[in-house]
C-alpha cells in the first residue's frame, strides 16, 4: 500500500495539464512574491543573513540573490525567501495555514542555474505541484498543528516545497517522496518567534530545507516514506488533538489553487489583522466615522489570531506588524496601510499612540471554534453619541471571495519596488506578468534583470 508521501508524489508528478485559471493564479502569486522579495531585500533580517554569510556570498555561486551577487542554491533560497517574508506582505494559503509562495517561489528560483533550460510555464507548473503538496500535508495536521504553536510556513511549507523543487529538477516519484521525507526531518519553527526577525527567517529556512532535501535525495539520501503517518512521525509529533490525518486522502481534478486559492495581502502586516482592518475600513466608509467620534473599537478574532498578535504596544516595526492596536489605529486614521507605515519613526506618531488605547481585542472561546474551520472576525465601534456599529468579515480582501483587481495588484507591486529604492516601472510588472511565456529562465537572462539589479540601500526611516 502506498504511503501518504508516495500518494502526494504520484499526484504532483502525474498532473500534467493545468487550466488557464490555475496558471494565471500561479503567475499572479509568483509576481506578487517577487515584488515582496524585492521590497524585503533591505530589511534587517536579510542584512543580518548577508553579514552572517558574507564570505560565502563573496565566493559567488550558481544562484542569484535578490540583494545582488550570487551564492549557492541553498544559501540563495535562505536569503531570498527571508526577503520575501520579511515585511509580512506575502500571500497566505489557508489549506496549509502557511505563507506558501514565500517558500516556494524562492526555492524554485534558487535551482535555476546558468546551464538550466527551464521555461516559465515549467516553473509555474512546478509551483503548482509544490502548492498542491503543501495543501495535502497541511490538511492532515491542521488546524491543531498551527493552533498549538507551529509556524506551518516553516514546517508544512518546507515539506511541500520540496515536491515543487523535485518536479522542476525532473525527479521521479521515489526521489520526490524521499525529498519530502527528508524535509520532514528538517521541519521546525515556533510561532512564539512572531514579532522578531526569526519569523521571516522561518520562510528562508523552509526554502533552504526544500532545496537541500531534493539535492540530497537526488544523491541517494532517503528517509522513511511513511514518516507522515507512522508512530513517532509528523502527525504523531506535530499534529495536535484535532488533526485528522490523511485517511482516505484524495485529490480533485480541479487544482487546489482554483477551489481554494491564495490570499494576496492588501496590508503589509500579519494576516491575523486583515479581516478586522477591512471591517473597520468598511464601517468608516459606510458611516463617515471620524477619529473624534470613536469611544471604543472592539475586535473578536480566532484564538490563534489573538495569540499571533502579541504586541498591544509595539516597540519596533516588526512588533507593529503583529499588533492589532497599531494596525487598526493606523488604518483608521490614514484610511489604508502601506509599507511606509512600518518604520520606527512612524510607529511612534503621537496621534496613533493616543488612539491605540481605544482598541480592544478578544478571541472566540474553544467551544465556539470547535469543529468550525473558519469563523468571521468581528469589529464593533462605539461612538460618543452612543451609537454602536458592527461589521463581520469572513474573508479578507485579496481572497478569491474578495479578490484584488489587476490594478490593485500593480499598485502593490509598485509600492514594493519603491520601498526597495528601485525605479518603479509599469513595464516591469507587465513583463513579469508574461512569466509563462518566457522560453528560458536562468540566473543570467533578462528574467533575473527584473528581480536583481544590485543592492540599493533604502534611506533610513
Amino acid at each position: 500500500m502506498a504511503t501518504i508521501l508516495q500518494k502526494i508524489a504520484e499526484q504532483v508528478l502525474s498532473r500534467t495539464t493545468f487550466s488557464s485559471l490555475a496558471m494565471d493564479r500561479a503567475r499572479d502569486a509568483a509576481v506578487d512574491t517577487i515584488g515582496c522579495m524585492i521590497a524585503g531585500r533591505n530589511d534587517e533580517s536579510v542584512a543580518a543573513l548577508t553579514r552572517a554569510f558574507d564570505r560565502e556570498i563573496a565566493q559567488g555561486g550558481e544562484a542569484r540573490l535578490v540583494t545582488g551577487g550570487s551564492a549557492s542554491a541553498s544559501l540563495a533560497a535562505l536569503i531570498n525567501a527571508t526577503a520575501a517574508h520579511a515585511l509580512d506582505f506575502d500571500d497566505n494559503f489557508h489549506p496549509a495555514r502557511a505563507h506558501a509562495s514565500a517558500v516556494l517561489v524562492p526555492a524554485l528560483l534558487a535551482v535555476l542555474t546558468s546551464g538550466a533550460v527551464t521555461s516559465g510555464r515549467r516553473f509555474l507548473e512546478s509551483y503548482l505541484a509544490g502548492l498542491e503538496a503543501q495543501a495535502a500535508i497541511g490538511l492532515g495536521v491542521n488546524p491543531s498543528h498551527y493552533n498549538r504553536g507551529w509556524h506551518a510556513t516553516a514546517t508544512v511549507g518546507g515539506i511541500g516545497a520540496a515536491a515543487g523543487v523535485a518536479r522542476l529538477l525532473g525527479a521521479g516519484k521515489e526521489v520526490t517522496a524521499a525529498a519530502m521525507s527528508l524535509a520532514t526531518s528538517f521541519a521546525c519553527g515556533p510561532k512564539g518567534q512572531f514579532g522578531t526577525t526569526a519569523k521571516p527567517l522561518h520562510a528562508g529556512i523552509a526554502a533552504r530545507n526544500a532545496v537541500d532535501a531534493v539535492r540530497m535525495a537526488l544523491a541517494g539520501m532517503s528517509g522513511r516514506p511513511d514518516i507522515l503517518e507512522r508512530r513517532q512521525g509528523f502527525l504523531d509529533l506535530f499534529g495536535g488533538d484535532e488533526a485528522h490525518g490523511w485517511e482516505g486522502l484524495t485529490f480533485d481534478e480541479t487544482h487546489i489553487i482554483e477551489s481554494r486559492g491564495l490570499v494576496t495581502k492588501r496590508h503589509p502586516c500579519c494576516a491575523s489583522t486583515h479581516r478586522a482592518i477591512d471591517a473597520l475600513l468598511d464601517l468608516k466608509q459606510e458611516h463617515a466615522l471620524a477619529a473624534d467620534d470613536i469611544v471604543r473599537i472592539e475586535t473578536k478574532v480566532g484564538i490563534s489570531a489573538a495569540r499571533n498578535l502579541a504586541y498591544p504596544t509595539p516597540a519596533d516595526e516588526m512588533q507593529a506588524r503583529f499588533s492589532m492596536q497599531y494596525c487598526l489605529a493606523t488604518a483608521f486614521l490614514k484610511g489604508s496601510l502601506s509599507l511606509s507605515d512600518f518604520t520606527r519613526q512612524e510607529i511612534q506618531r503621537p496621534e496613533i499612540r493616543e488612539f491605540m488605547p481605544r482598541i480592544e481585542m478578544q478571541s472566540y472561546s474553544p467551544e465556539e471554534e470547535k469543529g468550525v474551520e473558519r469563523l468571521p472576525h468581528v469589529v464593533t465601534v462605539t461612538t460618543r453619541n452612543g451609537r454602536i456599529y458592527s461589521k463581520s468579515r469572513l474573508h479578507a480582501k485579496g481572497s478569491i471571495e474578495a479578490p484584488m483587481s489587476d490594478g490593485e495588484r500593480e499598485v502593490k507591486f509598485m509600492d514594493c519596488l519603491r520601498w526597495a529604492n528601485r525605479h518603479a516601472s509599469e513595464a516591469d510588472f507587465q513583463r513579469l506578468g508574461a512569466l509563462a511565456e518566457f522560453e528560458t529562465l536562468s540566473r543570467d537572462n533578462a528574467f533575473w534583470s527584473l528581480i536583481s539589479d544590485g543592492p540599493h540601500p533604502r534611506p533610513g526611516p
Side-chain angles (χ1 to χ4, degrees):
M1 180 181 293
T3 69
I4 301 304
L5 286 180
Q6 288 168 339
K7 288 181 180 179
I8 295 172
E10 165 71 26
Q11 169 64 20
V12 301
L13 295 184
S14 62
R15 190 191 284 273
T16 57
T17 59
F18 299 90
S19 71
S20 58
L21 176 61
M23 293 297 289
D24 287 347
R25 287 185 175 171
R27 175 206 62 208
D28 289 345
V31 172
D32 183 74
T33 305
I34 289 169
C36 293
M37 194 169 77
I38 293 170
R41 68 185 181 181
N42 296 319
D43 188 73
E44 175 54 33
S45 59
V46 179
L49 284 177
T50 57
R51 290 193 297 269
F53 296 101
D54 58 349
R55 292 184 181 179
E56 291 87 340
I57 294 171
Q59 294 172 359
E62 70 270 28
R64 291 281 292 273
L65 298 172
V66 71
T67 53
S70 62
S72 67
S74 177
L75 187 52
L78 174 69
I79 292 174
N80 290 344
T82 300
H85 193 40
L87 304 176
D88 234 294
F89 211 4
D90 52 300
D91 64 36
N92 288 94
F93 183 49
H94 291 316
R97 293 287 183 101
H99 292 269
S101 300
V103 178
L104 254 174
V105 172
L108 295 171
L109 291 175
V111 296
L112 297 176
T113 64
S114 57
V117 180
T118 300
S119 68
R121 182 171 185 85
R122 183 178 175 188
F123 181 91
L124 294 177
E125 290 173 349
S126 300
Y127 170 89
L128 289 167
L131 193 72
E132 189 166 29
Q134 287 194 41
I137 294 160
L139 288 170
V141 294
N142 284 316
S144 54
H145 171 73
Y146 185 85
N147 290 343
R148 75 185 303 181
W150 291 110
H151 188 194
T153 300
T155 54
V156 173
I159 302 167
V165 173
R167 174 159 177 160
L168 187 61
L169 293 181
K173 298 170 188 175
E174 184 176 338
V175 169
T176 301
M180 286 190 287
S181 178
L182 293 172
T184 303
S185 289
F186 301 157
C188 192
K191 289 202 296 174
Q193 296 282 29
F194 283 14
T196 74
T197 52
K199 203 259 189 179
L201 178 64
H202 288 173
I205 291 171
R208 180 187 65 184
N209 288 347
V211 169
D212 288 350
V214 174
R215 297 176 84 178
M216 290 177 190
L218 287 168
M221 185 77 74
S222 64
R224 292 197 64 122
D226 62 348
I227 196 59
L228 290 186
E229 67 269 32
R230 67 171 280 103
R231 186 177 181 183
Q232 296 186 323
F234 190 66
L235 176 64
D236 191 12
L237 298 176
F238 287 74
D241 296 336
E242 297 178 34
H244 51 73
W246 297 273
E247 186 175 352
L249 174 68
T250 59
F251 297 91
D252 295 335
E253 182 177 345
T254 300
H255 193 278
I256 194 77
I257 203 171
E258 299 176 72
S259 58
R260 295 294 299 274
L262 296 142
V263 183
T264 305
K265 280 194 171 185
R266 179 188 187 188
H267 316 294
C269 50
C270 178
S272 296
T273 67
H274 284 213
R275 287 183 278 163
I277 294 170
D278 292 343
L280 180 60
L281 292 177
D282 288 344
L283 288 174
K284 180 180 180 179
Q285 181 177 20
E286 292 167 8
H287 303 286
L289 297 173
D292 290 342
D293 299 332
I294 308 300
V295 173
R296 184 169 61 255
I297 298 174
E298 300 169 278
T299 65
K300 188 172 185 179
V301 302
I303 294 171
S304 64
R307 290 173 178 168
N308 291 345
L309 303 173
Y311 302 96
T313 55
D316 58 38
E317 62 270 40
M318 183 61 78
Q319 291 184 7
R321 295 185 182 104
F322 294 85
S323 171
M324 179 68 86
Q325 289 76 10
Y326 178 79
C327 291
L328 281 187
T330 305
F332 185 87
L333 292 173
K334 298 188 68 176
S336 64
L337 285 170
S338 69
L339 290 167
S340 62
D341 293 314
F342 294 90
T343 66
R344 298 203 177 208
Q345 180 177 346
E346 285 295 307
I347 68 170
Q348 297 300 333
R349 288 172 57 198
E351 61 270 31
I352 293 174
R353 290 287 166 168
E354 291 169 5
F355 195 84
M356 284 167 57
R358 305 183 207 177
I359 299 168
E360 303 171 7
M361 181 176 64
Q362 62 173 312
S363 68
Y364 286 98
S365 68
E367 292 73 25
E368 289 174 304
E369 286 199 349
K370 190 173 181 61
V372 181
E373 181 183 3
R374 192 170 182 78
L375 288 168
H377 287 186
V378 183
V379 173
T380 303
V381 175
T382 302
T383 64
R384 295 191 184 281
N385 61 12
R387 291 182 179 176
I388 298 174
Y389 303 104
S390 187
K391 188 85 173 185
S392 66
R393 290 286 299 239
L394 184 62
H395 302 288
K397 178 72 173 180
S399 63
I400 62 172
E401 294 83 4
M404 291 172 66
S405 67
D406 290 343
E408 289 170 327
R409 288 177 180 275
E410 184 174 339
V411 167
K412 175 181 174 178
F413 186 82
M414 295 301 158
D415 189 27
C416 287
L417 265 61
R418 282 190 292 268
W419 186 250
N421 197 29
R422 175 171 168 174
H423 174 66
S425 167
E426 294 181 10
D428 286 349
F429 181 77
Q430 294 166 358
R431 288 166 66 195
L432 281 173
L435 177 58
E437 300 170 17
F438 276 85
E439 294 183 2
T440 302
L441 304 180
S442 78
R443 56 158 283 179
D444 298 320
N445 72 356
F447 169 73
W448 263 101
S449 71
L450 300 173
I451 302 173
S452 175
D453 59 350
H456 290 270
R458 183 173 56 83

Short mmCIF file of all heavy atoms in Angstrom, two decimals, residues 313-336:
data_model
loop_
_atom_site.label_atom_id
_atom_site.label_comp_id
_atom_site.label_asym_id
_atom_site.label_seq_id
_atom_site.Cartn_x
_atom_site.Cartn_y
_atom_site.Cartn_z
N THR A 313 1.33 47.23 22.55
CA THR A 313 2.09 48.48 22.50
C THR A 313 3.45 48.18 21.87
O THR A 313 4.46 48.04 22.57
CB THR A 313 2.27 49.10 23.90
OG1 THR A 313 2.86 48.12 24.76
CG2 THR A 313 0.94 49.53 24.46
N PRO A 314 3.52 48.09 20.56
CA PRO A 314 4.75 47.64 19.89
C PRO A 314 5.90 48.61 20.07
O PRO A 314 5.73 49.82 20.09
CB PRO A 314 4.33 47.56 18.42
CG PRO A 314 3.18 48.51 18.31
CD PRO A 314 2.45 48.40 19.60
N ALA A 315 7.10 48.01 20.20
CA ALA A 315 8.31 48.81 20.41
C ALA A 315 9.09 49.04 19.14
O ALA A 315 9.97 49.90 19.09
CB ALA A 315 9.20 48.13 21.45
N ASP A 316 8.82 48.26 18.09
CA ASP A 316 9.53 48.43 16.83
C ASP A 316 8.61 48.03 15.69
O ASP A 316 7.47 47.61 15.89
CB ASP A 316 10.84 47.63 16.81
CG ASP A 316 10.63 46.14 17.03
OD1 ASP A 316 9.63 45.59 16.52
OD2 ASP A 316 11.45 45.51 17.73
N GLU A 317 9.13 48.17 14.46
CA GLU A 317 8.29 47.96 13.29
C GLU A 317 7.87 46.50 13.13
O GLU A 317 6.78 46.22 12.62
CB GLU A 317 8.97 48.46 12.03
CG GLU A 317 10.28 47.76 11.67
CD GLU A 317 11.50 48.43 12.28
OE1 GLU A 317 11.45 48.85 13.45
OE2 GLU A 317 12.52 48.51 11.58
N MET A 318 8.71 45.55 13.55
CA MET A 318 8.34 44.15 13.45
C MET A 318 7.20 43.82 14.40
O MET A 318 6.22 43.15 14.04
CB MET A 318 9.55 43.25 13.72
CG MET A 318 9.26 41.76 13.57
SD MET A 318 8.71 41.29 11.92
CE MET A 318 10.27 41.27 11.03
N GLN A 319 7.30 44.30 15.64
CA GLN A 319 6.20 44.09 16.59
C GLN A 319 4.93 44.77 16.10
O GLN A 319 3.82 44.25 16.31
CB GLN A 319 6.60 44.62 17.97
CG GLN A 319 7.68 43.81 18.66
CD GLN A 319 7.98 44.32 20.06
OE1 GLN A 319 7.30 45.20 20.59
NE2 GLN A 319 9.02 43.76 20.68
N ALA A 320 5.06 45.92 15.45
CA ALA A 320 3.88 46.64 14.97
C ALA A 320 3.10 45.81 13.96
O ALA A 320 1.87 45.91 13.89
CB ALA A 320 4.30 47.97 14.34
N ARG A 321 3.78 44.99 13.19
CA ARG A 321 3.10 44.13 12.22
C ARG A 321 2.26 43.06 12.91
O ARG A 321 1.40 42.44 12.27
CB ARG A 321 4.11 43.48 11.27
CG ARG A 321 4.86 44.47 10.39
CD ARG A 321 5.76 43.78 9.38
NE ARG A 321 6.48 44.76 8.59
CZ ARG A 321 7.77 45.06 8.75
NH1 ARG A 321 8.49 44.44 9.68
NH2 ARG A 321 8.34 45.97 7.99
N PHE A 322 2.53 42.84 14.18
CA PHE A 322 1.80 41.84 14.96
C PHE A 322 1.04 42.50 16.11
O PHE A 322 0.88 41.92 17.17
CB PHE A 322 2.77 40.77 15.47
CG PHE A 322 3.36 39.96 14.35
CD1 PHE A 322 4.49 40.40 13.68
CD2 PHE A 322 2.76 38.79 13.93
CE1 PHE A 322 5.01 39.68 12.62
CE2 PHE A 322 3.27 38.07 12.86
CZ PHE A 322 4.41 38.52 12.20
N SER A 323 0.57 43.70 15.87
CA SER A 323 -0.20 44.47 16.85
C SER A 323 -1.54 44.86 16.25
O SER A 323 -1.60 45.67 15.33
CB SER A 323 0.57 45.73 17.27
OG SER A 323 -0.24 46.57 18.07
N MET A 324 -2.62 44.29 16.77
CA MET A 324 -3.94 44.68 16.30
C MET A 324 -4.18 46.16 16.58
O MET A 324 -4.76 46.88 15.74
CB MET A 324 -5.02 43.84 16.99
CG MET A 324 -6.44 44.19 16.56
SD MET A 324 -6.80 43.76 14.84
CE MET A 324 -7.30 42.04 15.05
N GLN A 325 -3.73 46.62 17.75
CA GLN A 325 -3.97 48.01 18.13
C GLN A 325 -3.29 48.97 17.16
O GLN A 325 -3.91 49.95 16.71
CB GLN A 325 -3.47 48.24 19.56
CG GLN A 325 -4.31 47.59 20.64
CD GLN A 325 -4.09 46.07 20.76
OE1 GLN A 325 -3.18 45.50 20.14
NE2 GLN A 325 -4.91 45.42 21.56
N TYR A 326 -2.03 48.70 16.83
CA TYR A 326 -1.32 49.61 15.92
C TYR A 326 -1.92 49.56 14.51
O TYR A 326 -2.16 50.60 13.88
CB TYR A 326 0.17 49.27 15.85
CG TYR A 326 0.89 50.16 14.87
CD1 TYR A 326 1.25 51.45 15.22
CD2 TYR A 326 1.16 49.73 13.57
CE1 TYR A 326 1.87 52.31 14.31
CE2 TYR A 326 1.78 50.57 12.65
CZ TYR A 326 2.14 51.85 13.03
OH TYR A 326 2.73 52.69 12.12
N CYS A 327 -2.18 48.35 14.02
CA CYS A 327 -2.67 48.22 12.64
C CYS A 327 -4.05 48.85 12.47
O CYS A 327 -4.30 49.56 11.48
CB CYS A 327 -2.69 46.75 12.23
SG CYS A 327 -1.04 46.01 12.06
N LEU A 328 -4.94 48.63 13.43
CA LEU A 328 -6.27 49.21 13.32
C LEU A 328 -6.23 50.73 13.46
O LEU A 328 -6.90 51.46 12.72
CB LEU A 328 -7.20 48.63 14.37
CG LEU A 328 -7.80 47.24 14.10
CD1 LEU A 328 -8.82 46.90 15.18
CD2 LEU A 328 -8.45 47.17 12.74
N ALA A 329 -5.45 51.22 14.42
CA ALA A 329 -5.37 52.67 14.62
C ALA A 329 -4.82 53.36 13.38
O ALA A 329 -5.35 54.38 12.93
CB ALA A 329 -4.49 52.97 15.84
N THR A 330 -3.75 52.81 12.83
CA THR A 330 -3.13 53.43 11.65
C THR A 330 -4.04 53.37 10.44
O THR A 330 -4.20 54.35 9.70
CB THR A 330 -1.78 52.75 11.35
OG1 THR A 330 -0.96 52.78 12.51
CG2 THR A 330 -1.06 53.45 10.21
N ALA A 331 -4.67 52.21 10.23
CA ALA A 331 -5.57 52.07 9.09
C ALA A 331 -6.74 53.03 9.20
O ALA A 331 -7.15 53.65 8.21
CB ALA A 331 -6.07 50.63 9.00
N PHE A 332 -7.29 53.18 10.40
CA PHE A 332 -8.43 54.07 10.56
C PHE A 332 -8.02 55.53 10.34
O PHE A 332 -8.70 56.27 9.62
CB PHE A 332 -9.04 53.91 11.96
CG PHE A 332 -10.29 54.73 12.14
CD1 PHE A 332 -11.52 54.21 11.78
CD2 PHE A 332 -10.24 56.01 12.66
CE1 PHE A 332 -12.69 54.96 11.92
CE2 PHE A 332 -11.39 56.77 12.80
CZ PHE A 332 -12.62 56.24 12.43
N LEU A 333 -6.92 55.94 10.94
CA LEU A 333 -6.51 57.34 10.85
C LEU A 333 -6.05 57.73 9.44
O LEU A 333 -6.27 58.85 9.00
CB LEU A 333 -5.41 57.63 11.86
CG LEU A 333 -5.85 57.57 13.34
CD1 LEU A 333 -4.65 57.70 14.26
CD2 LEU A 333 -6.87 58.65 13.65
N LYS A 334 -5.40 56.79 8.74
CA LYS A 334 -4.85 57.11 7.42
C LYS A 334 -5.73 56.62 6.26
O LYS A 334 -5.54 57.04 5.12
CB LYS A 334 -3.45 56.52 7.28
CG LYS A 334 -2.45 57.08 8.28
CD LYS A 334 -1.04 56.61 7.99
CE LYS A 334 -0.51 57.18 6.70
NZ LYS A 334 0.90 56.81 6.45
N GLY A 335 -6.65 55.71 6.56
CA GLY A 335 -7.51 55.17 5.52
C GLY A 335 -6.96 53.98 4.80
O GLY A 335 -7.64 53.36 3.98
N SER A 336 -5.72 53.63 5.08
CA SER A 336 -5.08 52.47 4.45
C SER A 336 -3.77 52.20 5.18
O SER A 336 -3.35 52.98 6.03
CB SER A 336 -4.81 52.72 2.96
OG SER A 336 -3.88 53.77 2.81
#
